[in-house]
Amino acid sequence: MKQSLSRIFILMKRNIKEILRDPLSLIFTLAMPLFMEILFYLLFHKLTAQFEMKYLAPGIVVFAQSFIALFVGLLIAVDRSTSFLTRLYVSKTKSFEFIFGYALSIVPIVFVQSILFFLVGGIIDASIFSISMIYAILLSLVTSLFFIGIGILLGTICSEKSIGGISSIVIAGQSVLSGMWFPIEGLGEGMINFMNCLPFRNATLLIQNTMNGINDTFNDFVLPLIIVLAYTIVVFIVAIIMFKKKMKDK
Amino acid sequence: METAIKINNLTKVYKDITAVDNLNLEIYDGELFALLGVNGAGKTTTIKMLATLTKPTSGDALIFDSSILKDEDKIKEVIDVSMQETAIARKLTVEENIDFYAKLSGQSNEELQETKEKIIESFELSKVLKKQASKLSGGWQRKLSIALALVSKPKILFLDEPTLGLDVIARRELWKTINELKGKMTIILTTHYMEEAEALSDRIGIMKDGKLLFVGKKEELFEKTGKNNVEDAFIEIVSGGELL
């Protein structure tokens, strides 16, 4: 157990360095969402409640997490294509240690993302500062696990070349199906029900509701949390199975 | 001479292709054994099975008396591998790469320092130590990749096409490094550069279509084929003399 934890920690440190030393990952996970947060607030917050900071900041937090899927996936796909993982398979490292090593390396980045987007949101609109913001930051670590799981799964099954295109489906999914960029009231009932069954909208609602107050505990908090966790568990189980399979195939 | 690897009827079938066909071979402790063959001969598949990366369809191999089928963990303690593609952490510096592999293999800080000094000296890495691996030339990256395979202090080292794609200078430099490793561990090297096998190996195995056609010293190969260099002898064995 001690050896496993030690190996996970070593892998985690290496993965953090690999991600942070890629300037593109910093641009997409931090700079671009931050720019969008400021821009959309300035342009639209007086036009629609959608872009008031109390909704926009939590939405941006989850939106930025969708880029995490791309960078985790890219890291794993590159590790596979360069035989880096093949070499590690010859070591005593187990498949669950690899998965934890990749997953945990992202958590500090997600934490920084959440603090940054909430902090800047609060500087722009001080009314969003409250104790609920701390709960929302902590809960964003939970929602990030879904995107981390997707990243691990895509990195395991996709090639270095295809991962960008396929990850963009997840990013587009989060943009469109979360309903954060447009009012969903105008959509058909079927479409709204479809969005409510998927993790994207529920992850966004979970953080928004935690931040802005929960009126109906089950519908505003418990149900979105269950849906996000259910998808996360399924994605991680599939990712672990596929990763183990790839390990054996090597 | 102690046996390091004993391969018994090892076979690997992928769908309708037999990549390795009933291979029997003994490799001795401390020798450098070169496995030759054209593309698709089964060299890499053989290495992958011995390195526990791929399960054989049938047969077994013993590595210091541990079975590749049953004793995977024991085998992982004594082997390391450098595959055809460069296997390095690209965004880490050369020094961080060495530290990473040493820590992952469970070395204490004192051991790590000792290993690092030896590796840096053997592979003359001091001048690139602080450089990010992705910024090294192809030759240096390959050199680092092989150096990293030694960090875990293996008793058996598998080198799969170590000089593939390198220019002639980088190749000769790697030969020098590999030559210096001879005798310190058992090395199994696959290559399709005949001069590489001639310059480096103690014994040679020639594979074609998954089958082992010849095993022996180069002198025995020359004697068997009536040729005086490995390339001609290899062609004689593989093509039955048709291409000479």
Side-chain angles (χ1 to χ4, degrees):
Chain A
M1 184 66 185
K2 199 182 159 194
Q3 282 180 333
S4 270
L5 286 175
S6 162
R7 283 196 287 263
I8 289 169
F9 184 67
I10 294 161
L11 288 166
M12 192 181 119
K13 265 174 66 179
R14 173 262 165 182
N15 294 337
I16 289 176
K17 283 181 187 170
E18 288 273 347
I19 291 174
L20 293 184
R21 286 178 188 176
D22 180 356
L24 272 183
S25 66
L26 294 178
I27 291 169
F28 281 104
T29 54
L30 295 175
M32 196 189 77
L34 187 64
F35 174 73
M36 289 172 81
E37 182 181 15
I38 297 167
L39 183 73
F40 278 82
Y41 176 80
L42 293 176
L43 290 178
F44 302 120
H45 80 280
K46 284 184 180 163
L47 298 175
T48 166
Q50 193 95 24
F51 295 106
E52 284 174 20
M53 198 48 88
K54 63 180 179 179
Y55 298 116
L56 184 61
I60 285 284
V61 164
V62 184
F63 173 67
Q65 288 177 356
S66 63
F67 284 94
I68 290 291
L70 168 65
F71 288 99
V72 181
L74 196 59
L75 179 64
I76 298 174
V78 170
D79 285 351
R80 280 175 44 231
S81 70
T82 58
S83 279
F84 175 82
L85 271 180
T86 308
R87 162 163 289 155
L88 296 189
Y89 293 159
V90 178
S91 74
K92 283 182 162 180
T93 314
K94 305 275 183 275
S95 54
F96 78 90
E97 294 168 4
F98 285 112
I99 302 268
F100 275 103
Y102 284 117
L104 294 177
S105 62
I106 304 303
V107 174
I109 299 170
V110 170
F111 196 57
V112 170
Q113 275 184 327
S114 299
I115 289 178
L116 178 71
F117 302 141
F118 278 125
L119 198 65
V120 171
I123 290 168
I124 294 170
D125 177 0
S127 70
I128 71 165
F129 278 127
S130 70
I131 187 76
S132 301
M133 188 188 272
I134 295 170
Y135 300 141
I137 290 170
L138 293 176
L139 210 58
S140 71
L141 300 181
V142 177
T143 58
S144 74
L145 293 177
F146 168 70
F147 295 101
I148 292 170
I150 289 277
I152 293 171
L153 178 61
L154 294 182
T156 304
I157 58 178
C158 298
S159 71
E160 188 183 349
K161 283 179 184 165
S162 65
I163 189 88
I166 293 172
S167 300
S168 65
I169 297 171
V170 178
I171 297 166
Q174 178 55 35
S175 290
V176 177
L177 298 171
S178 70
M180 71 165 286
W181 299 113
F182 55 90
I184 65 162
E185 287 72 31
L187 297 174
E189 196 183 335
M191 185 62 191
I192 293 175
N193 287 339
F194 176 62
M195 287 163 76
N196 285 336
C197 292
L198 294 175
F200 306 107
R201 176 156 173 77
N202 284 291
T204 305
L205 283 177
L206 192 61
I207 308 299
Q208 283 177 338
N209 294 343
T210 304
M211 174 103 169
N212 299 318
I214 294 161
N215 300 320
D216 176 345
T217 309
F218 182 76
N219 285 316
D220 291 353
F221 185 81
V222 176
L223 188 59
L225 181 63
I226 288 172
I227 291 172
V228 171
L229 284 179
Y231 275 99
T232 305
I233 290 166
V234 170
V235 163
F236 263 91
I237 289 171
V238 177
I240 289 168
I241 292 169
M242 294 308 292
F243 196 90
K244 276 189 152 183
K245 191 174 177 301
K246 287 275 175 181
M247 248 180 124
K248 279 181 188 163
D249 287 350
K250 266 290 179 187
Chain B
M1 222 184 293
E2 194 193 346
T3 301
I5 301 174
K6 188 163 175 27
I7 301 172
N8 300 315
N9 305 315
L10 202 63
T11 300
K12 180 71 184 179
V13 180
Y14 292 107
K15 288 182 183 164
D16 51 352
I17 296 167
T18 304
V20 176
D21 192 0
N22 210 28
L23 184 68
N24 287 287
L25 176 64
E26 216 166 319
I27 296 170
Y28 305 114
D29 191 18
E31 78 171 328
L32 195 154
F33 188 89
L35 207 47
L36 297 182
V38 292
N39 291 335
K43 310 182 296 287
T44 299
T45 307
T46 302
I47 283 206
K48 282 186 171 178
M49 286 192 282
L50 295 176
T52 71
L53 290 167
T54 299
K55 291 259 181 247
T57 308
S58 62
D60 195 359
L62 301 177
I63 293 186
F64 290 116
D65 296 325
S66 298
S67 158
I68 57 169
L69 299 176
K70 297 174 201 153
D71 309 311
E72 209 173 292
D73 280 349
K74 268 190 187 171
I75 288 173
K76 284 179 172 180
E77 281 175 15
V78 295
I79 64 164
D80 216 316
V81 62
S82 178
M83 301 305 286
Q84 283 174 29
E85 307 88 0
T86 304
I88 52 177
R90 296 200 288 196
K91 294 280 192 300
L92 301 193
T93 65
V94 170
E95 187 173 19
E96 285 170 338
N97 264 286
I98 299 170
D99 289 349
F100 169 72
Y101 281 104
K103 284 179 185 166
L104 207 60
S105 66
Q107 294 181 27
S108 65
N109 285 339
E110 294 77 35
E111 269 181 291
L112 186 154
Q113 279 310 321
E114 196 187 311
T115 307
K116 190 154 71 175
E117 279 166 25
K118 273 188 194 162
I119 296 279
I120 291 167
E121 194 191 333
S122 309
F123 287 80
E124 298 167 355
L125 294 171
S126 55
K127 56 187 165 192
V128 292
L129 209 56
K130 303 288 177 195
K131 255 191 160 184
Q132 210 173 82
S134 62
K135 296 192 172 130
L136 299 173
S137 67
W140 274 106
Q141 285 191 1
R142 194 65 63 85
K143 207 170 174 179
L144 173 62
S145 188
I146 294 173
L148 293 175
L150 296 174
V151 169
S152 65
K153 302 176 187 169
K155 284 168 128 179
I156 298 176
L157 175 64
F158 297 101
L159 296 176
D160 188 19
E161 306 276 5
T163 62
L164 189 72
L166 295 185
D167 65 46
V168 66
I169 301 294
R171 181 176 300 164
R172 285 302 169 102
E173 280 178 352
L174 259 184
W175 284 11
K176 186 173 158 253
T177 310
I178 293 168
N179 242 326
E180 283 164 6
L181 295 174
K182 274 177 77 171
K184 294 175 187 164
M185 64 191 70
T186 308
I187 300 174
I188 294 89
L189 172 142
T190 74
T191 182
H192 51 236
Y193 296 120
M194 302 304 141
E195 70 277 19
E196 192 160 287
E198 192 161 357
L200 297 172
S201 63
D202 296 313
R203 283 195 308 148
I204 290 170
I206 296 178
M207 288 184 81
K208 185 192 175 191
D209 298 332
K211 287 190 167 70
L212 192 64
L213 301 183
F214 171 85
V215 184
K217 294 184 174 176
K218 3 179 213 213
E219 295 77 17
E220 292 167 338
L221 180 64
F222 298 157
E223 199 181 313
K224 181 176 175 165
T225 57
K227 308 293 175 192
N228 58 8
N229 65 72
V230 173
E231 185 163 328
D232 284 348
F234 173 80
I235 294 169
E236 173 74 27
I237 295 263
V238 169
S239 72
E242 283 176 21
L243 296 174
L244 285 170

